[in-house]
Structure formats: C-alpha cells, structure tokens
Amino acid sequence: MAITAALVKELRDKTGAGIMDCKEALKETDGDLEAAVTRLREKGMKTYEKKASRVAGDGLVQSYIHPGGKIGVLVEVNCETDFVAKTEQFQTLIHEVAMQVAATSPRYVSKEDVEPGDLEKERKILLAQAENEGKPPHIAEKMVEGRLRKFYEERCLLNQSYIRDESKTVETLVKETVAQLGERIVIRRFARFQLGQGGIHAEAAEEERGGAE
C-alpha cells in the first residue's frame, strides 16, 4: 500500500509522533493505520522504560480553572531540562493533565501512592460486600482483586482513562509524550479545589517512581 502524505498526517495527528517515525511505522505495517498506532505506542513504551532511571529535576507548575470558576487545579509535572519544559508538547501535556484532574477528581497520582491503611480498609469493605453476596471465600477474593482494579482506575490519576481518548490511560499519554520529547517526565503532584469543598491533594512519594513518570 502506498504511504501517502495524507496517511502520514493522519497518523501524526492521532499519535503526535514525528513525521519520520510515522512513515517508518506505516511502512512496517503496510499502511495499516491502527497497526501503525500500536507500533508507535509500543516504541514509546520502550523509550519510556529506557529513561525511567534518569532524574527529572525541571518542569512546570500550571493552573487550570474550569469554565464557571467553581473548580480549579494546580499540577506539577517534571522533566529533565528547561528546554523541554518550554516546548508546546510538554505544556500541552500539563494542560491535559490539569483538565483530567478537574474532570475526574482523582485522589492519588498512582496506585503506589495509596496509603497501606486506606488500601486495607478498602479491601475489607470489598471483601465484606462479596461475602454478603453469598460468594465462597476463593470467589470473594477474586472479586476483591477485580474491584480493586476498578478502585485504582477511579482514584489514581495515572490509571484513569484519558478523558479525550478512553482507549488509553493517562499513563499512556505521559509515555507517548516521553517518546516525542526524549526526556523522562513525572507527574509529581496535584491539588484540586472545588467551590464550597476542601482541596483534594495528591503528592508524589519522596522517591521518584517509574509508574508516575
């Protein structure tokens, strides 16, 4: 199949990848757009993993006020250099993360941030629910694990489905941006404020984690 400029542009619009990367992915998949998207995402994951041990000591803090002025968000996202912090792609990522927090009200950055006590409390609640449904112990345990995954998907920012494209998570969005910019990126922390309610804060752990980067 001929790799046309229009097809390359469509793939680039879908993924944000560079022109040459898009051309190469389309050649490798014989012009199959969806397969090329998958190929680029896989490439992005490998790039992300290679950079997981690097220090992200720069970045930006950005605010977002939802239309109507009743919800506001502050988010800190780190990268390795001031150069990348000033790029359009990095600033777009921060804006998208802030909008995600405003829309979904997560409690934590990643599942590693969930306090052990909170997790154990949630596990006990879910186990009691399963037992009240008359499930035998081995089935109840499996149900708890499945419901905990749902808990992470709802409460942990990186595990949430991205509001603009539910086929990927916020973590995938971060990894794709790492692939584009070539630097480690970390969602460090956020604070969400809603009129009439207390602020909801989520802080990154003192040590940098692979899952939130």
Side-chain angles (χ1 to χ4, degrees):
M1 178 178 178
I3 308 303
T4 65
L7 191 59
V8 172
K9 182 180 184 302
E10 186 175 356
L11 180 58
R12 193 179 187 195
D13 289 343
K14 276 179 171 285
T15 64
I19 292 176
M20 295 309 297
D21 287 335
C22 289
K23 284 183 177 179
E24 186 64 27
L26 286 166
K27 286 179 181 178
E28 291 174 357
T29 57
D30 196 27
D32 185 324
L33 186 63
E34 292 308 315
V37 169
T38 300
R39 183 66 58 88
L40 286 172
R41 286 183 177 174
E42 289 171 350
K43 182 179 179 181
M45 302 303 175
K46 290 178 181 178
T47 301
Y48 175 81
E49 289 167 2
K50 288 178 182 178
K51 299 180 185 303
S53 63
R54 287 160 58 166
V55 176
D58 215 296
L60 293 172
V61 174
Q62 189 172 106
S63 63
Y64 169 77
I65 306 298
H66 192 66
K70 295 185 178 182
I71 297 175
V73 171
L74 281 173
V75 61
E76 177 184 347
V77 181
N78 298 147
C79 57
E80 295 178 41
T81 65
D82 180 59
F83 174 79
V84 162
K86 292 178 179 177
T87 63
E88 182 180 350
Q89 296 98 318
F90 185 80
Q91 293 180 21
T92 296
L93 172 65
I94 300 179
H95 180 71
E96 292 299 302
V97 169
M99 287 185 65
Q100 179 84 22
V101 172
T104 63
S105 190
R107 184 67 182 86
Y108 311 96
V109 174
S110 74
K111 64 182 182 181
E112 287 78 17
D113 293 328
V114 181
E115 293 290 338
D118 292 344
L119 184 59
E120 184 58 28
K121 185 186 297 183
E122 185 69 20
R123 183 182 291 276
K124 287 180 178 178
I125 291 171
L126 294 174
L127 184 59
Q129 289 175 350
E131 290 174 345
N132 288 338
E133 293 169 12
K135 306 298 182 184
H138 69 287
I139 298 296
E141 286 292 341
K142 289 181 179 180
M143 290 177 64
V144 167
E145 293 307 313
R147 290 174 179 178
L148 277 177
R149 285 194 293 272
K150 183 68 174 177
F151 169 81
Y152 291 136
E153 289 168 2
E154 292 176 349
R155 305 289 185 87
C156 301
L157 177 61
L158 288 169
N159 295 85
Q160 290 182 338
S161 295
Y162 176 37
I163 56 174
R164 293 191 189 275
D165 181 356
E166 293 188 353
S167 70
K168 59 187 175 184
T169 63
V170 174
E171 184 175 23
T172 300
L173 178 67
V174 173
K175 289 179 177 180
E176 290 176 350
T177 308
V178 170
Q180 291 174 37
L181 296 176
E183 286 195 4
R184 187 184 185 204
I185 295 174
V186 182
I187 298 177
R188 180 62 59 198
R189 54 188 168 179
F190 64 80
R192 182 183 186 275
F193 302 91
Q194 186 162 341
L195 189 67
Q197 299 181 9
I200 298 176
H201 300 270
E203 305 261 348
E206 292 182 4
E207 294 184 0
E208 295 178 343
R209 301 169 311 281
E213 299 147 10

